[in-house]
Amino acid sequence: MEPQTMSIAAAPTVTTGPLPASRKIYIRGDIHPDICVPMREISLHPTSGEPPVVVYDSSGPYTIEGAEIRIEQGLPSLRRDWVLARGDVEAYKGRHVRPEDNGFASGERLTPEFPALRQPLRAKDGSAVTQLSYARAGIITPEMNHRF
């Protein structure tokens, strides 16, 4: 099946659907088995005599055949519960788009505020909430829970 392109009113087009010569696969986590890491299995030419190459797939739902994509709703917040469960972040009131965020553009060049606003999170005082800081502390987060 060929990738499809859909147009969003006054917005860029979005390519969806399966990618050629590959397929999306999921690898179940070792420590957190309820989490499946999306990977892409890329087929090599038959004359290579080599097995498919497996790489991390960051395409999200856009390359899932038949996925219903609604740009205005945003992507699902898959990690939010994991992040909140760590107890080192807090929600805060975000801000609206300001003119300088759009380079002081106006008229047709103005980018409207995204319709699906979510309450942002930030580190609590004294916390470092990066994957690197967790790794240095010996914490294996759900996001890093896979081996190849």
Side-chain angles (χ1 to χ4, degrees):
M1 177 177 232
E2 289 293 314
Q4 301 170 358
T5 301
M6 53 192 230
S7 180
I8 311 302
T13 56
V14 177
T15 301
T16 62
L19 298 175
S22 69
R23 68 185 183 108
K24 186 172 228 155
I25 62 173
Y26 297 89
I27 297 177
R28 190 166 301 283
D30 297 323
I31 298 169
H32 302 277
D34 54 322
I35 297 172
C36 294
V37 178
M39 306 294 282
R40 180 145 305 273
E41 185 179 83
I42 303 169
S43 300
L44 302 177
H45 193 274
T47 60
S48 72
E50 297 291 331
V53 174
V54 177
V55 299
Y56 179 69
D57 185 341
S58 61
S59 64
Y62 297 98
T63 56
I64 298 172
E65 188 169 353
E68 189 174 326
I69 305 297
R70 294 200 171 142
I71 299 295
E72 67 282 352
Q73 291 180 358
L75 293 172
S77 298
L78 299 176
R79 298 178 55 238
R80 190 173 182 93
D81 290 342
W82 311 340
V83 171
L84 290 170
R86 293 179 194 140
D88 55 4
V89 297
E90 61 188 5
Y92 68 100
K93 183 178 169 124
R95 65 172 179 79
H96 291 283
V97 173
R98 297 188 297 223
E100 58 268 29
D101 296 330
N102 279 312
F104 297 100
S106 61
E108 67 182 35
R109 298 197 64 215
L110 180 67
T111 301
E113 187 166 68
F114 193 70
L117 295 178
R118 297 189 179 140
Q119 192 172 26
L121 301 174
R122 65 178 169 209
K124 289 181 179 176
D125 285 342
S127 294
V129 294
T130 66
Q131 294 301 303
L132 179 59
S133 66
Y134 294 127
R136 285 181 174 160
I139 298 168
I140 299 174
T141 68
E143 297 94 321
M144 41 173 107
N145 171 43
H146 63 280
R147 285 187 274 179
F148 301 103

